[in-house]
Amino acid sequence: MSRFATGVTVLTVGGEHVHAMTANAFTSVSLDPPSVLCSVGHGAVMHSALSSAGRFAVNILGAEQEGLARHFADKKRTLGAAQFQGVDWSAGEHTGAPLLAGAVAWLECTLTDSHVFADHTLFIGTVLAAGQGDDADGLLFVNGRFGRAESPRPAAH
């Protein structure tokens, strides 16, 4: 699976147990209603944070945000609100979850279903709101390395 190129997201929850986690096991599920799926390991702090919050945000990272991806993937970072020190973000209107500045897009979701499978839970969220940032290239992860997904450019006439 390391050969399968994926986009890179940061999942966030707000409220009393604010938390973030880098995730690339993320996909769209349905357009009607708009919904998404993320897979979180049972041992991850995000697993209990997302389960108890019932709402979350997905920040789709741009190519220039590799540092954020690495930060929120670091299991040694300080947890709680302190993990956001030095990170530019604003609270989502619908979820209170951190929306990271510079993300190419973001989604605010309510947790609508979950399915336990092996050592992970598949969390399904219905999209409450969405937005997009600047037309920047996306951040990819493939073969153990970060890369750039170039945004299509309009054809010259």
Side-chain angles (χ1 to χ4, degrees):
M1 292 307 299
S2 68
R3 296 298 202 151
F4 183 68
T6 63
V8 181
T9 68
V10 171
L11 305 176
T12 59
V13 296
E16 187 178 332
H17 303 288
V18 65
H19 187 64
M21 178 189 95
T22 300
N24 63 346
F26 168 79
T27 190
S28 171
V29 173
S30 171
L31 294 177
D32 188 16
S35 53
V36 295
L37 176 148
C38 54
S39 178
V40 179
H42 294 159
V45 173
M46 180 56 79
H47 191 279
S48 60
L50 201 156
S51 296
S52 64
R55 290 177 179 250
F56 62 100
V58 180
N59 297 273
I60 301 170
L61 299 186
E64 305 304 320
Q65 294 181 300
E66 180 180 337
L68 278 180
R70 290 184 181 280
H71 172 71
F72 289 118
D74 184 354
K75 294 181 191 301
K76 296 177 184 170
R77 76 182 182 282
T78 303
L79 298 180
Q83 70 189 296
F84 292 96
Q85 280 189 313
V87 175
D88 189 10
W89 64 276
S90 60
E93 178 182 345
H94 301 278
T95 62
L99 303 178
L100 305 178
V104 296
W106 55 262
L107 307 165
E108 287 190 89
C109 304
T110 186
L111 182 59
T112 51
D113 206 351
S114 61
H115 300 276
V116 173
F117 185 80
D119 61 351
H120 278 64
T121 297
L122 307 176
F123 291 103
I124 299 172
T126 300
V127 177
L128 301 171
Q132 62 186 41
D134 294 334
D135 187 22
D137 294 340
L139 184 61
L140 283 183
F141 192 74
V142 62
N143 206 25
R145 293 185 299 270
F146 288 99
R148 175 182 296 267
E150 293 188 18
S151 298
R153 306 290 185 235
H157 295 296

